[in-house]
Amino acid sequence: MPVDEDPVQDKIDLSVPSAARMYDFLLGGTNNFLSDRLAVQDLLRTAPSSRELAINNRAFLRRVVRHIAADYGIRQFIDHGSGLPTQDNVHQVAQRIHRGTKVIYVDNDPVVLSQGRFLLDENDDVAIVAADMTNPEAIRSHPKVDGFIDFEQPVAALFVSVLHCVPDPEPARLLRETIKLLASGSVVVICQLVSEDKAVRDGVTRLMAEQTNNNWGRVRTEEEVRTYFDGLDIQPPGLLDVTDWRPDSEVLPRQRTREWIEFGGLALVP
Ligand SMILES: C[S@@+](CC[C@H](N)C(=O)[O-])C[C@H]1O[C@@H](n2cnc3c(N)ncnc32)[C@H](O)[C@@H]1O
């Protein structure tokens, strides 16, 4: 795939933490800067289990991609808010099951995009798109997506740990508009940060908004996330803490406190 122009490349301000780089730091990655690490220190004071939560979220992503590729036979993925490259990215997991699986990575963080081009754009079946997931039609008609993804065939649309980055009422709207573009038999993966403790919800939402120059949405409740699945056919084992979603033999650190969790699951487009 040719490397496209990057309209956000010159907007990098490394003194402002980004959700993508903070998450990278929590995962033990090296694509982060001092501002991100200081922001994570603040975050850990309010939400001390965030490191284990991030590691378990990433393990969920691997499991759900493997399940979709192996058991649903889907060979096209759009990973919305893909984040910084790490080990076992979506295309590596999916292409291990079906070589030739097409993967589009979408993100709007300039560091994700520049790193992604080197580390994710490994073969002709993978492309990285600089786009805002709140504009599904622009993603659908992007020159790297149009003709590369066949929207007449099932697609797996991933929204893993991303919807808390966008304010209300965007999650429900962008999901509705994305799902309208998908063929029957497509699947959607949705999970986001939730807390049933109002103090945690408000505290983390305020902290992240301050840290990221308002580039952030909201920690929500499980009930709110359940509404994102309206009209979809939720697949077993249902909606739950993604740590408990079809666990396998991988040894993972457990969250010792559960002040917040990643909540969601997998659904079929009827
Ligand atoms: C916490 S990371 C999740 C990464 C990956 N999905 C995972 O679960 O491992 C959230 C990602 O969403 C991206 N993001 C946030 N808002 C976005 C938007 N409106 N459009 C595209 N990407 C966005 C961020 O840049 C970041 O890379």
Side-chain angles (χ1 to χ4, degrees), residues 19-20 23 27 57-58 61 79-84 106-109 112 131-134 160-162 164-166:
Y23 179 65
L27 289 177
N57 175 69
R58 195 70 203 181
L61 177 63
D79 186 7
H80 299 85
S82 48
L84 281 151
V106 176
D107 211 290
N108 66 352
D109 181 298
V112 170
D132 192 326
M133 68 181 165
T134 61
V160 176
S161 192
V162 292
H164 45 253
C165 297
V166 290

Side-chain angles (χ1 to χ4, degrees), residues 145-165:
V145 178
D146 192 26
F148 181 77
I149 295 289
D150 178 357
F151 284 89
E152 300 297 313
Q153 297 298 320
V155 171
L158 311 183
F159 294 91
V160 176
S161 192
V162 292
L163 293 176
H164 45 253
C165 297

